Amino acid sequence: MREVYYYSSIFMPLMMRGIFVFIITSKEKRGEEMTVTIVKGAPGHYLLGSGILTELPDLLKDISVSKYHIITGKKAWQAVQPYLPKEVIDNNIHLHYIDGHTTLKKVHDIQEIITNDGANGVIGIGGGTALDITKAVAIEASVQSILIPTIAAT
């Protein structure tokens, strides 16, 4: 049996950067055997600002994403497409339109397609469903994810 202790005061500098640290000790050997597990609870990059989508090609290069698929809703795609750089749209674009709710079947189906295609990234554009599916697909396919929210939500 393992117990988890959270030492927020010691690791506050890491928490301020969005990294959560847990100390795990075994119950039998409390204090003698300790493992530190770092859980990154925030994105590796967070960009915000007017015209920020123009920097998307550079971000993709920075995180070594050369082949990607886009997961989005039709309305979100129509709203964002005019602001995307031409090279993002012209890069043999693979679009997956999402509607309805997030399901494991949708995640699995898209993950299978991007894995078979050899993609190393997935871009999510839209609201909760599109972004949730994008995150799940990225995890299942072990690829980078880029999220472009189109609504202000939690």
Side-chain angles (χ1 to χ4, degrees):
M1 171 145 305
R2 301 186 97 147
E3 292 182 334
V4 178
Y5 298 91
Y6 185 65
Y7 294 99
S8 60
S9 60
I10 297 170
F11 296 106
M12 190 58 74
L14 288 173
M15 290 175 54
M16 297 293 284
R17 293 190 347 236
I19 300 172
F20 301 95
V21 178
F22 296 90
I23 304 297
I24 301 172
T25 63
S26 67
K27 191 173 185 177
E28 298 80 29
K29 298 181 181 181
R30 185 169 298 149
E32 294 175 24
E33 184 179 320
M34 202 178 298
T35 304
V36 175
T37 302
I38 297 176
V39 179
K40 294 184 179 183
H45 294 79
Y46 183 85
L47 306 174
L48 177 69
S50 179
I52 201 71
L53 292 178
T54 62
E55 297 180 27
L56 188 55
D58 292 331
L59 174 63
L60 292 170
K61 286 178 193 165
D62 288 348
I63 62 174
S64 302
V65 171
S66 55
K67 188 172 190 177
Y68 51 84
H69 287 231
I70 296 175
I71 299 172
T72 185
K74 289 183 181 179
K75 288 182 183 178
W77 178 246
Q78 291 171 352
V80 171
Q81 187 179 4
Y83 300 98
L84 291 173
K86 189 174 177 359
E87 58 265 39
V88 171
I89 297 171
D90 291 346
N91 188 17
N92 295 318
I93 196 163
H94 301 278
L95 283 174
H96 303 273
Y97 288 116
I98 298 299
D99 60 356
H101 299 288
T102 302
T103 66
L104 291 175
K105 179 174 179 4
K106 288 178 187 176
V107 169
H108 177 72
D109 290 349
I110 296 172
Q111 175 268 318
E112 196 172 90
I113 292 167
I114 69 167
T115 299
N116 291 338
D117 191 43
N120 61 352
V122 61
I123 299 173
I125 300 173
T129 300
L131 300 186
D132 287 347
I133 290 174
T134 299
K135 290 181 280 187
V137 166
I139 290 167
E140 291 296 315
S142 298
V143 299
Q144 295 280 359
S145 65
I146 298 92
L147 305 176
I148 303 171
T150 57
I151 60 171
T154 56

